[in-house]
Amino acid sequence: MVDINKLVDTKASTQSKEVFWDQEVYDREIKNIFGRSWLFLTHECMLEKKGDFITTKMAEDSVIVTRHTDGSLKAFVNSCTHRGNSICSADSGNTKSFVCNYHGWVFSTDGKLVDVPLREKCYHDELDRDSLSLKTIRVESYRGFVFGCFDETAPSLEDFLGDWGWYLDTWMVGAGEGAELVGPPMKSILKCNWKVPTENFVGDGYHVGWTHASALHVLGGELGGLAGNQAEMPFDELGIQVTTRHGHGFGVIDNAAIAIHAKRDEYAKYMEETIPKVAENLGEPRAKLFNGHWNCSTFPNCSFLYGTNIFKVWHPRGPHEIEVWSWVIVHKDMSDEGKREVVKQAVRSFGTAGTLESDDGDNMVQSTHVNRGNYTREGTMNSTMGQGYEGEHPDYPGIVGSSFIGETSYRGFYRFYQEMMSADSWDDIRANDEHWADCFPNKNYW
Ligand code: UNU
Ligand code: FES
Ligand code: FE
């Protein structure tokens, strides 16, 4: 039997291999993690006009997000309150209402039941429409990035992001205009557990030079030296890794924002013009981050690469499969040509069939499926790299690791993962607010 309370050992920095395979673990994740966290839905640029809508997933729940007639964002479950059929099968569009395909019940863009065929003749005018609205979901937006949460007792989105919001502002605010996503998202299915890509994006600087050796060799440029972990690279001071209260984290390679873009004249020009403005707006520490390349995960299942500018959600579909949705991040104030360049390079490198994306895919699938072996599955995985070489930093919030190549943010992700798996409520989680970082004992490292 799996002990749900002992999946992660924060002292030894190990995780049970059951986290990638076990059905019971997965069922608990859906309730405790996906049922209580803020999950990424869409960007407001895809919901500009009244009546605009998109459909997406929150874990395995199908949801609709709309711009209602009063201008506010609404989210509700995509399941009819009559016999449960989905009421919208389009990915996106603009509408006055949603009409169920089965018997024709009609719902407004805030989920209210507004019309029912044969309401007078066959329901004898006795149907209580007010109690038959679609199930609503909390929806909040941060710098235009829209998230939903099933849990009424969860903190606000801003509090859930916490210090991570301070980092996100680096490019979500930037020089002032901020960023948006280019959609609709590319979609594909990958046979892996949802945490394999999440942990990879949150803190795996280590794999870059190895898994992506060939791609980096061909791309050349500033990151070319990473290919095969060549000795002359300053691996111990390439950048930093950060973890925050609710498991969100990232790794940054200094001065490498544009490094993955093969054709990068417009992007280079944009950076040159914009970095001083970011410094003025947000200060030097974040101006430095603005010029770095980031790999990141927002807990639990939203990852992105800033610099490469791919933005992803890993929708779980059972313990051994995910649906990958990928958008491209663009700075709003970049030239149209610059934006086209960014989109092209992001799709070529980390789109569904991207060169670097396909390097990762095989590892993601193997890391999951090898653990179907009953004997293999006993035992743990190791994330000890850089343990002790991390702590509170004078310029950067959270716990900061000493190099881009370390596992500080892995440890932070799984620390919060275990906290959520074990906690009965958000009150239990809030009770740890003062002590969450105690498992990083060398807090005076910097
Ligand atoms: O694969 C990655 N996560 C990555 C690739 C990160 C940084 C640079 C290149
Ligand atoms: Fe890291 Fe094998 S070397 S998984
Ligand atoms: Fe990778």
Side-chain angles (χ1 to χ4, degrees):
M1 277 296 282
V2 183
D3 185 346
I4 298 275
N5 295 314
K6 293 199 173 135
L7 295 169
V8 178
D9 183 335
T10 48
K11 273 218 168 69
S13 284
T14 57
Q15 300 84 34
S16 161
K17 287 188 173 184
E18 298 278 6
V19 299
F20 290 163
W21 191 264
D22 188 73
Q23 182 72 42
E24 213 183 305
V25 170
Y26 177 79
D27 293 343
R28 178 76 78 96
E29 289 172 353
I30 294 301
K31 284 209 156 56
N32 276 23
I33 292 177
F34 290 90
R36 305 195 297 206
S37 299
W38 285 94
L39 306 174
F40 178 76
L41 300 174
T42 188
H43 190 277
E44 286 196 42
C45 66
M46 282 162 239
L47 298 169
E48 274 175 350
K49 297 188 297 298
K50 289 173 184 176
D52 282 354
F53 71 88
I54 63 103
T55 54
T56 184
K57 290 291 200 59
M58 291 172 65
E60 297 192 54
D61 289 287
S62 173
V63 307
I64 305 175
V65 191
T66 64
R67 176 75 66 185
H68 185 47
T69 44
D70 66 2
S72 66
L73 292 171
K74 302 281 180 193
F76 35 81
V77 173
N78 185 5
S79 172
C80 183
T81 45
H82 178 220
R83 300 304 309 155
N85 192 28
S86 73
I87 57 155
C88 180
S89 52
D91 291 340
S92 63
N94 182 280
T95 191
K96 287 197 166 62
S97 57
F98 299 96
V99 184
C100 182
N101 199 49
Y102 203 170
H103 309 92
W105 282 21
V106 182
F107 298 89
S108 56
T109 49
D110 60 351
K112 294 218 166 65
L113 179 59
V114 290
D115 203 6
V116 171
L118 305 179
R119 182 170 59 88
E120 279 147 19
K121 287 182 178 151
C122 297
Y123 277 110
H124 311 287
D125 216 1
E126 289 170 2
L127 188 73
D128 180 16
R129 277 183 293 174
D130 291 344
S131 67
L132 290 163
S133 301
L134 298 169
K135 269 183 155 179
T136 57
I137 297 162
R138 280 177 80 183
V139 57
E140 286 175 22
S141 132
Y142 187 80
R143 313 294 186 206
F145 290 72
V146 183
F147 292 72
C149 182
F150 292 121
D151 188 349
E152 288 303 324
T153 71
S156 67
L157 172 61
E158 195 171 339
D159 288 347
F160 178 72
L161 295 173
D163 287 336
W164 184 221
W166 185 89
Y167 287 104
L168 291 173
D169 285 353
T170 304
W171 57 274
M172 286 191 181
V173 174
E177 293 293 312
E180 61 187 16
L181 296 181
V182 178
M186 297 165 266
K187 298 178 182 176
S188 58
I189 285 174
L190 200 59
K191 291 196 177 299
C192 71
N193 183 274
W194 65 272
K195 294 185 296 307
V196 187
T198 303
E199 65 164 50
N200 174 276
F201 275 66
V202 84
D204 203 322
Y206 191 25
H207 85 292
V208 177
W210 195 256
T211 293
H212 301 299
S214 310
L216 293 173
H217 182 70
V218 170
L219 281 175
E222 292 85 337
L223 293 184
L226 287 176
N229 297 324
Q230 290 165 36
E232 67 271 21
M233 294 297 284
F235 287 109
D236 51 347
E237 48 183 43
L238 269 183
I240 53 172
Q241 261 196 12
V242 179
T243 188
T244 61
R245 169 68 186 100
H246 297 129
H248 322 300
F250 74 124
V252 56
I253 313 178
D254 291 340
N255 304 315
I258 64 169
I260 276 210
H261 290 255
K263 185 180 176 318
R264 52 198 160 169
D265 309 345
E266 280 292 309
Y267 199 2
K269 197 170 96 204
Y270 175 80
M271 288 311 250
E272 213 167 286
E273 288 166 4
T274 311
I275 291 165
K277 294 189 207 155
V278 174
E280 205 173 296
N281 220 14
L282 302 171
E284 284 299 338
R286 281 184 284 186
K288 184 170 181 206
L289 293 178
F290 190 80
N291 197 33
H293 182 284
W294 311 9
N295 54 274
C296 322
S297 291
T298 301
F299 191 94
N301 67 329
C302 174
S303 299
F304 65 88
L305 301 174
Y306 164 80
T308 301
N309 283 11
I310 202 80
F311 190 96
K312 289 172 182 284
V313 173
W314 325 106
H315 293 297
R317 295 160 55 99
H320 315 135
E321 192 170 283
I322 60 171
E323 207 170 300
V324 183
W325 290 25
S326 308
W327 296 257
V328 179
I329 302 167
V330 292
H331 297 281
K332 283 191 199 166
D333 56 350
M334 202 181 231
S335 68
D336 286 348
E337 195 195 333
K339 286 180 187 172
R340 273 195 298 278
E341 227 173 60
V342 167
V343 170
K344 206 193 256 180
Q345 296 304 333
V347 170
R348 282 180 177 172
S349 54
F350 278 99
T352 294
T355 31
L356 285 91
E357 180 83 348
S358 24
D359 290 337
D360 288 315
D362 196 38
N363 292 333
M364 308 278 167
V365 173
Q366 294 299 335
S367 295
T368 302
H369 280 261
V370 74
N371 292 303
R372 73 191 306 152
N374 195 50
Y375 184 63
T376 309
R377 221 184 298 169
E378 292 172 13
T380 58
M381 300 177 289
N382 182 294
S383 58
T384 54
M385 188 188 273
Q387 199 171 18
Y389 298 78
E390 59 206 355
E392 287 164 351
H393 191 282
D395 295 333
Y396 295 112
I399 293 292
V400 181
S402 65
S403 171
F404 162 68
I405 304 191
E407 289 169 343
T408 301
S409 31
Y410 257 83
R411 288 189 281 282
F413 172 79
Y414 279 107
R415 185 205 62 73
F416 189 60
Y417 169 85
Q418 183 64 70
E419 191 180 345
M420 273 208 123
M421 289 292 269
S422 301
D424 288 328
S425 68
W426 265 103
D427 279 343
D428 285 3
I429 297 168
R430 284 187 192 96
N432 300 331
D433 278 353
E434 300 301 315
H435 298 288
W436 71 272
D438 289 357
C439 64
F440 299 93
N442 195 10
K443 278 194 220 158
N444 297 323
Y445 174 76
W446 292 98

